[in-house]
Amino acid sequence: MNTLVIVLIAAVVLFGAYMVYGRWLAKKWGIDPKAETPAVKYNDGKDFVPTNGWTVFSHQFSSIAGAGPVTGAIQAAAFGWLPVLLWILIGGVFFGAVTDFGALYASVKNEGKSMGMIIEKYIGKFGRKIFLLFCWLFTLIVIAAFADMVAGTFNAYTVNADGATVLSAVAKTNGSAGMVSIMFMVFAVVFGLIQKNLKLSGWKEAVLGIVFIVAAFVVGMFFPLEFNKDVWSYITFVYIFFAAVMPMWLMKQPRDYMTTFMFICMIVGAAVGLVVAHPSMNLPVYTGFNNAKLGTMFPILFVTVACGITSGFHSTQCTLIGRSVTSEKEGRFTFYWMMILEGLIAMIWAAAAMGIYDKGSVSGATDVVGEVAKDLLGPVGGLIAILGVIVLPITSGDTALRSCRLMVADYLHIDQKEKRNRIMVTLGIFIPVIAILVFAKLNAEGFNILWRYFAWANQTIAVFAFAAITVYLCAKKGAPKYAFLISLLPGTFYIFIISSFLLSQSIGFGLPLNVSYVIAGIIALLYLILVPRAGKKFSKSHTEE
């Protein structure tokens, strides 16, 4: 089968789901376009900032559509193209988009509170403590791993056969990518200052953003920075720190607005490449339940695709977006559509990878991305793709740090309006991140171990979000009696997945697969019974708007 056909099938199904199922959810949940949002009600110019829909969309897009949905889908394709296609379509529509949309809606209806505070309200203080522990550990891993990934991408040096450190063959390319990224952030700040004073909109805003993007590329191509990985690590951490404490309008919002144009170019370029090259499928429909490298398809497939389907990390973004949207009706586009679009991104790259998967020189998702970019997009398009897939995920790093700061501040009741408080909380988070990086550098398998826990913790956070949304829908005024099933059933499925994964894998308990399935089934059954029971109990004393 031609890979283009697979992408077209995915696009039609996903878009149709957004128009039908997404609209149905918004109607059943009672989205109120006239309701005052937290951004409008508590506007402080720092964390609560009313923002136009396109900029909010851009922020969410650049925060979640980085390396995760691309590399995860590519790796999972080892089980065959049919399992990946089916799970992206089913999971994206009924699992990931539901938890993303539900998390944002619950946050907006709860004054822009973080998911941790929402879980305390609907599940209890103990549930909140466990959730925050998972979120804290997860965001630390995200920050450390993404920072290391970016620094490694920019690294201009390598070790030759004699053990000497020398400039690599791709030193200029990597240095150019690094300089482009730095200038991208500098121009983002300039863009933010201009927007603050001139308040450009429409085509004027778009033209200025595109001019700054082109300028960043020009400077980067002519003035590459050829530093080693350690230097780039320091630069990356300095950037992440300042991006996490600066006002949203000064760095993140203009940067995310500009980033979206790059992501769109990347997606369109990959799609056009598929149309022009239409590579033949080099993977079988199904390779089997067991994969020598990855393990058993159930639960590995569902954990591996991860960000392209369901990501607990997305639910932690409800705070940032919940404090930015100016109307509840933006939620379906910003969160439900964003997850649908992320699924399409995963499918495009997975399909492109399926056309070159038999190349002996290609090993690992990162190599596949590079090969696809070179074959389908050419040198310029390839650079944009590499920046989008490998480098710009740094936006996920600073977004994770900001989210972690807000969650910690909420938990400790630390006012974040004061710059000093924002800086102190952020510094406190950085200390364990440094410890993680030290561990990774001293242990040869350090980051491989961290990424396995990353995948599991990511889905675990989603289970908490599903539970909180379920309780909220039980008490939602005017919601159908069956509304809670929309989030309860996906949550039950995923608690089975994460339980069987932890029980059966070497990073967990290493139990036989059959035993793991039985225990995971019992845990899932308890979840299926106890979560709606908690919802009914809550609804007796509370009515949610």
Side-chain angles (χ1 to χ4, degrees):
M1 180 182 289
N2 191 289
T3 54
L4 180 60
V5 175
I6 295 177
V7 173
L8 291 176
I9 292 173
V12 171
V13 173
L14 291 172
F15 181 73
Y18 168 72
M19 296 301 295
V20 178
Y21 191 58
R23 182 172 295 171
W24 181 82
L25 285 179
K27 181 179 179 181
K28 294 300 179 183
W29 288 355
I31 299 296
D32 183 5
K34 298 180 180 179
E36 188 178 44
T37 64
V40 176
K41 187 176 181 180
Y42 302 109
N43 183 6
D44 62 5
K46 296 179 175 62
D47 288 323
F48 290 87
V49 182
T51 310
N52 70 71
W54 174 253
T55 303
V56 174
F57 168 86
S58 302
H59 167 73
Q60 180 69 357
F61 190 28
S62 62
S63 295
I64 70 174
V70 177
T71 57
I74 290 173
Q75 291 178 54
F79 288 108
W81 63 262
L82 184 59
V84 175
L85 172 64
L86 290 177
W87 187 232
I88 286 177
L89 297 182
I90 297 172
V93 172
F94 297 106
F95 289 71
V98 168
T99 185
D100 286 14
F101 189 16
L104 173 65
Y105 188 48
S107 178
V108 169
K109 288 299 188 181
N110 283 274
E111 301 181 324
K113 292 187 183 301
S114 65
M115 182 52 65
M117 298 297 292
I118 293 171
I119 286 175
E120 177 180 335
K121 177 179 179 179
Y122 297 131
I123 300 178
K125 291 185 178 180
F126 180 73
R128 176 194 175 195
K129 289 179 181 179
I130 299 299
F131 173 80
L132 287 178
L133 177 62
F134 270 104
C135 284
W136 183 67
L137 293 173
F138 175 78
T139 51
L140 295 182
I141 295 172
V142 169
I143 297 165
F146 282 10
D148 184 81
M149 179 196 303
V150 173
T153 303
F154 293 155
N155 182 24
Y157 290 84
T158 188
V159 178
N160 61 19
D162 299 325
T165 300
V166 297
L167 282 173
S168 68
V170 293
K172 186 174 181 179
T173 300
N174 292 357
S176 293
M179 188 60 169
V180 169
S181 296
I182 288 178
M183 295 311 301
F184 201 84
M185 304 311 169
V186 171
F187 284 132
V189 173
V190 176
F191 193 12
L193 292 171
I194 293 175
Q195 281 293 84
K196 181 73 172 178
N197 292 283
L198 300 183
K199 301 187 184 302
L200 300 178
S201 62
W203 69 268
K204 294 180 180 179
E205 183 182 23
V207 168
L208 183 60
I210 294 172
V211 167
F212 281 145
I213 292 172
V214 173
F217 269 88
V218 170
V219 174
M221 296 298 289
F222 284 97
F223 302 99
L225 294 178
E226 297 176 350
F227 297 147
N228 61 31
K229 184 176 180 179
D230 288 338
V231 173
W232 280 116
S233 294
Y234 301 143
I235 294 174
T236 301
F237 269 110
V238 169
Y239 160 72
I240 290 177
F241 177 85
F242 280 104
V245 299
M246 292 169 69
M248 292 280 287
W249 63 266
L250 183 58
M251 166 67 83
K252 290 183 67 62
Q253 290 179 347
R255 180 210 62 195
D256 294 340
Y257 180 86
M258 293 164 58
T259 300
T260 301
F261 287 106
M262 288 189 62
F263 274 122
I264 290 174
C265 289
M266 180 188 74
I267 297 169
V268 172
V272 171
L274 285 174
V275 172
V276 174
H278 49 82
S280 300
M281 182 67 66
N282 290 322
L283 271 181
V285 176
Y286 176 59
T287 61
F289 188 76
N290 294 299
N291 181 275
K293 190 173 183 179
L294 296 180
T296 55
M297 186 174 72
F298 207 95
I300 299 298
L301 170 70
F302 307 96
V303 174
T304 303
V305 178
C307 298
I309 304 300
T310 303
S311 174
F313 174 66
H314 297 182
S315 68
T316 66
Q317 305 307 297
C318 69
T319 311
L320 303 181
I321 305 302
R323 299 179 182 186
S324 300
V325 294
T326 58
S327 173
E328 289 183 9
K329 68 179 181 180
E330 296 174 11
R332 183 169 73 99
F333 179 73
T334 305
F335 262 50
Y336 192 92
W337 170 244
M338 185 50 55
M339 192 63 235
I340 293 296
L341 186 57
E342 185 164 3
L344 182 59
I345 292 171
M347 196 64 250
I348 288 174
W349 280 95
M354 291 170 190
I356 64 167
Y357 230 96
D358 60 343
K359 290 192 175 182
S361 61
V362 178
S363 61
T366 301
D367 288 343
V368 171
V369 169
E371 194 71 28
V372 169
K374 182 179 70 175
D375 287 359
L376 298 185
L377 309 182
V380 177
L383 176 60
I384 294 175
I386 294 300
L387 281 168
V389 176
I390 304 300
V391 177
L392 289 180
I394 194 62
T395 61
S396 298
D398 68 68
T399 298
L401 181 57
R402 180 178 286 265
S403 297
C404 192
R405 170 175 70 80
L406 293 174
M407 285 187 291
V408 171
D410 277 350
Y411 182 73
L412 299 177
H413 303 291
I414 301 175
D415 183 11
Q416 293 295 281
K417 293 181 181 179
E418 295 292 331
K419 184 186 299 184
R420 179 177 178 275
N421 291 347
R422 298 200 300 273
I423 292 175
M424 294 305 295
V425 173
T426 305
L427 284 175
I429 297 170
F430 252 127
I431 295 174
V433 171
I434 294 173
I436 291 174
L437 280 174
V438 171
F439 161 77
K441 288 183 179 295
L442 296 178
N443 190 321
E445 289 294 313
F447 270 102
N448 290 333
I449 295 173
L450 289 177
W451 274 108
R452 293 181 198 128
Y453 281 114
F454 162 85
W456 175 75
N458 191 19
Q459 308 305 306
T460 302
I461 293 172
V463 168
F464 279 96
F466 277 126
I469 296 167
T470 299
V471 175
Y472 169 75
L473 291 176
C474 285
K476 168 68 178 172
K477 181 180 178 181
K481 292 184 178 180
Y482 59 81
F484 70 95
L485 293 174
I486 295 170
S487 54
L488 175 64
L489 296 181
T492 303
F493 176 82
Y494 259 104
I495 199 166
F496 178 84
I497 292 296
I498 62 172
S499 299
S500 58
F501 179 82
L502 185 65
L503 290 166
S504 63
Q505 299 303 301
S506 59
I507 66 169
F509 296 95
L511 298 177
L513 196 60
N514 290 338
V515 175
S516 300
Y517 285 161
V518 172
I519 298 174
I522 295 173
I523 294 172
L525 181 61
L526 291 173
Y527 181 95
L528 183 64
I529 295 171
L530 296 178
V531 172
R533 180 178 294 180
K536 291 179 181 178
K537 181 180 179 181
F538 181 84
S539 65
K540 290 180 180 179
S541 56
H542 299 80
T543 299
E544 296 296 289
E545 292 295 329

